[in-house]
Amino acid sequence: MKLNHISLFITLSIILLVLLPVKSSIIFEENQNSTEQQPRVFGLDCYDDNTIVVRIVRKDPSKFQCLKDYLSIRTIYPNGTVKEFDLSSDTLNIQPFNFCILPKYPKANPLRFYPVRKNFLLITYAEADDINNFYTYNDWGVVIDLDGGIHSKIKLGPSYVNITTKDWKPGQDSITLNVHRDNGFLRTAPLTNSTGYSLQQFIM
Ligand SMILES: *[C@@H]1O[C@H](CO)[C@@H](O)[C@H](O)[C@H]1NC(C)=O
Ligand SMILES: *[C@@H]1O[C@H](CO)[C@@H](O)[C@H](O)[C@H]1NC(C)=O
Ligand SMILES: *[C@@H]1O[C@H](CO)[C@@H](O)[C@H](O)[C@H]1NC(C)=O
Ligand SMILES: *[C@@H]1O[C@H](CO)[C@@H](O)[C@H](O)[C@H]1NC(C)=O
C-alpha cells in the first residue's frame, strides 16, 4: 500500500513536470511594412552556447519560385537580445539564382548557412562562370560575422551536375562541423561524372 502511494506520487510528479506550463521568454517582432511580403523562417541553427541563428526570407512575387535576394539573419542570444542584419546579393557578391528554388529539385536549396565558430557563419552557395553552362558552376563558401561583416571567401569545389539529365542539382554537398568547431569543417560532395565522393577538410 505504502509502495503504491510512493509510485503514485512519482507518477504524479512526472505528470506535473511534464505538464509544466510553457511560457515565452523572448518575443521578437520582425519589422514589416505593408508593401513587403510576409517574412518566413527558412532555416534555424544554433551555437554551442545556445545562441540561435534564424534565416528569414520573403518571396519575390516578380520572379518564379524565387526569394528576395537578401540574406537576412536574426541572432537570438540566450539573454534575449536579438541582433539582425540583411545583406543583399550584391553586397555578398552572390549571383541571384542562389535565391531561387528549381522546380525539379524543390528540396535542393542552393544557399545554406552553418554556425561555424562562435560569432561566425559559413554561407555556401554556387557561382557560375557561364550561367548557361552547368559545368562551370562551383560551390563557394563565404564567412561572415553576426554583424554582417564579410571576412573570407573560398572555392569549395565543382557543383554537382546530374550525369543523366545534365542539369545542375544545387546544394548537394554536405558540411559537417569539426567536433571542435574552431578547427573548421568537413565537406563531402558527390562528384560529377563519377560514382565517387570527395571529402575535404577546411580549417578556418
Ligand atoms: C517597405 O520596404 C521596402 C523593402 O525594404 C522598401 O523598398 C519600401 O520603401 C518600404 N516602404 C515603406 C512605405 O516604408
Ligand atoms: C546579451 O548577450 C550579447 C552577446 O553576448 C551581448 O552582446 C548583449 O549586450 C547582451 N545583452 C544584455 C542586455 O545583456
Ligand atoms: C538525375 O536525373 C534522373 C532523371 O531525372 C533522376 O532519376 C536521378 O535521380 C537524378 N540523380 C540525382 C543524383 O539526383
Ligand atoms: C563531365 O562530363 C561532361 C560531358 O562529357 C564534360 O563536359 C564535363 O567537363 C565533365 N565534368 C567533370 C567535372 O568531369
Side-chain angles (χ1 to χ4, degrees), residues 104-105 160 162 164-165 169:
K104 191 175 167 192
Y105 301 119
Y160 183 71
N162 185 321
T164 319
T165 54
K169 189 171 184 188

Side-chain angles (χ1 to χ4, degrees), residues 101-121:
I101 301 293
L102 302 178
K104 191 175 167 192
Y105 301 119
K107 287 191 178 143
N109 172 16
L111 191 147
R112 284 156 307 142
F113 68 93
Y114 305 90
V116 272
R117 62 162 79 189
K118 197 171 161 66
N119 279 319
F120 289 97
L121 284 177

